[in-house]
Structures are given as C-alpha cells and as structure tokens.
Amino acid sequence: MGDSDLKKNKPIIGITSTILDIEIKGEVNPSVQTNHQYVKAVNEIGGIPIVLPVINKEIAKEYADICDGIIFASGEDINPSNYNEPPLKELQKTNIARDEMELPLVKYALEKRIPIMGTCRGLGVINVALGGSMKQNIETKERLISHNQEISRKLPSHNVTIKEDSHLYQLLGVNSALVNSKHHQAIDVLADSLRIAATAEDGTIEAVEAIDKDLFILGLQFHPEELYSADTNMLNLLKFFRKACGKDN
C-alpha cells in the first residue's frame, strides 16, 4: 500500500506540542514535546498521528491544510493577555509562541470544518480562541474537589455530570462519567459559540461543544487519552472524534 492509499483510509490527526529544553552532556537542546499517550490513542482509534511543532503563527494555516482533525494537547497556562487580563501571582508557566500558533489554528480548523478536540490546556485554547476567558487559578483548600489530583492521570479521581441535552450525552448515552483531573485553571467566561456539555460537582466546566451542529468541537478538562484502555466511555469519546474526522472504511 502506497502513501496515497494509506491517507485515503486513515485520517491524519495533528497533535499540538510544546518546546522542551533537554540537557544532553551539558548542552541544552530545545526539543519538540507532546505526551506520547496522544500518539498511542490516535493510533488505537485508526488515525495517523502527526505532531505539530511550535514554529510561528503563519504555520497554523498550513497545519489546517494537511490535517483531517486536530487535538489541542495539554501543557502550559494560556497567557492571560490573550483574554485581556493581567497575570495573577498564581499563574504558572506560559508559552507565548505556542499561544500565537494554536489560537489561530483553532480558527483556521473551524473555517475548514476540521473536527477539533482539546484536553486540559486544549479546552482553554479553544475557549480563548473563540472569545472566552479563563480562571487563572482555581485550587484552594476550600474546594469540594481537588482538580490537581496527586494520583496518576491513568486513574480517575472525580465524577462529572453530562447534560442530557448535549451532543456528548447523545454520543455516549450516559449522564455521568469518572474522569481524571490535573489542572489549576478552568473556563471562566464561556465563548458565545460554545455550550456546556458536562460539569463537576463544584460547578467547574468539564466539557464543552459547539452550538453549531455542523461543527465538531469537543473540549475536555480531563484526559481521555490516559483512560481509554480501561474505560469504554473514554475510548468511545476518542472513537467519535475519529469518526468525525472521516475516512471510515
């Protein structure tokens, strides 16, 4: 089977990344980094995973031209200047170059009707790109739920309630799910073009989707790529995303 035949049968799914400085023998080497679990998950559901390096904002349009679907991966905090707020002291590491590439990539993808899914930071990227904002820090001792779990991300730590009028509920057929949680930020103002699909017990927005039914947008505060091997609901989430990307046999 040639390269062209392979592309006809499997959707190309881009996965965003960051730049990680790795020291080798005393020399710092900037490296492209994304969690390998995304790569494994895309392969598991029948897609071709390609990692999208941070280069510049101009490359975003070219990424949208070659991908059948895009996963906006986890990582650094989004710089609050992107939603016109000053940084709070609780703000953690940001990456301006990554923001500058990923925020327009959301818009280019939607212009081309490319399905997008965001997890953790990726949820925030989608919301901010579409005009929403973020709570820069939500972790306090008074919270009902610790959203920055101390156990592995491969284990769930709290429940989410799925709205029965959501597309997510129609896809999964369940009104609750167990999820993992490794974040200190969350959606504050929801973008006008999105609607809430799931929430945690403390009201934290855990999943969003497009109001426009012709667009496939799935933003998740949790990490299905870490849970799919042991949880049918998480595997089905990923499969529905892959199906939206097309090229099913």
Side-chain angles (χ1 to χ4, degrees):
M1 180 180 289
D3 291 343
S4 60
D5 292 327
L6 184 65
K7 188 177 185 299
K8 287 178 182 177
N9 290 315
K10 292 184 176 183
I12 293 175
I13 298 177
I15 304 165
T16 62
S17 65
T18 191
I19 302 169
L20 185 67
D21 288 338
I22 298 177
E23 186 173 333
I24 301 175
K25 295 182 178 180
E27 183 177 355
V28 175
N29 294 273
S31 302
V32 176
Q33 191 275 337
T34 198
N35 189 336
H36 192 59
Q37 281 297 126
Y38 290 110
V39 175
K40 291 170 65 177
V42 169
N43 181 67
E44 175 70 22
I45 59 178
I48 300 174
I50 61 169
V51 178
L52 307 177
V54 176
I55 301 177
N56 52 43
K57 59 184 179 182
E58 288 75 24
I59 199 72
K61 189 174 187 302
E62 296 182 49
Y63 286 156
D65 287 339
I66 64 173
C67 292
D68 300 305
I70 299 173
I71 295 175
F72 289 85
S74 57
E76 303 94 340
D77 288 354
I78 301 167
N79 194 299
S81 64
N82 292 298
Y83 45 91
N84 299 315
E85 289 186 11
L88 302 180
K89 64 179 182 179
E90 295 87 359
L91 186 72
Q92 297 180 9
K93 182 180 178 182
T94 62
N95 185 328
I96 292 175
R98 185 176 181 184
D99 292 348
E100 288 180 344
M101 188 194 81
E102 290 187 7
L103 294 171
L105 180 56
V106 171
K107 297 177 182 179
Y108 287 132
L110 296 181
E111 285 173 5
K112 296 177 68 67
R113 292 295 195 265
I114 296 171
I116 61 174
M117 181 173 75
T119 69
C120 203
R121 167 191 160 88
L123 166 71
V125 167
I126 292 170
N127 185 54
V128 171
L130 298 179
S133 67
M134 303 299 291
K135 296 176 182 178
Q136 293 186 43
N137 184 65
I138 64 170
E139 282 298 293
T140 67
K141 293 180 180 179
E142 291 75 27
R143 291 195 74 87
L144 295 173
I145 298 171
S146 174
H147 287 276
N148 195 6
Q149 67 187 50
E150 295 182 2
I151 59 175
S152 168
R153 285 195 301 188
K154 296 186 181 299
L155 298 171
S157 64
H158 70 81
N159 190 68
V160 299
T161 299
I162 300 171
K163 293 183 175 294
E164 294 190 3
D165 63 347
S166 68
H167 187 50
L168 183 61
Y169 176 81
Q170 294 173 2
L171 292 177
L172 294 181
V174 297
N175 55 22
S176 66
L178 283 170
V179 301
N180 49 14
S181 200
K182 278 281 189 180
H183 63 102
H184 83 109
Q185 295 194 320
I187 288 177
D188 186 9
V189 176
L190 184 66
D192 290 341
S193 56
L194 299 175
R195 66 176 183 175
I196 298 171
T199 57
E201 182 183 354
D202 60 5
T204 299
I205 297 173
E206 293 282 343
V208 300
E209 58 192 27
I211 293 175
D212 184 346
K213 294 182 179 180
D214 291 330
L215 296 175
F216 188 100
I217 301 174
L218 184 58
L220 306 170
Q221 191 61 80
F222 48 93
H223 295 266
E225 77 282 357
E226 298 282 3
L227 298 174
Y228 74 88
S229 60
D231 188 324
T232 302
N233 285 331
M234 297 299 110
L235 179 59
N236 285 339
L237 276 179
L238 296 170
K239 285 182 175 179
F240 285 126
F241 171 65
R242 182 257 183 267
K243 184 176 181 180
C245 296
K247 304 194 175 182
D248 284 323
N249 292 321

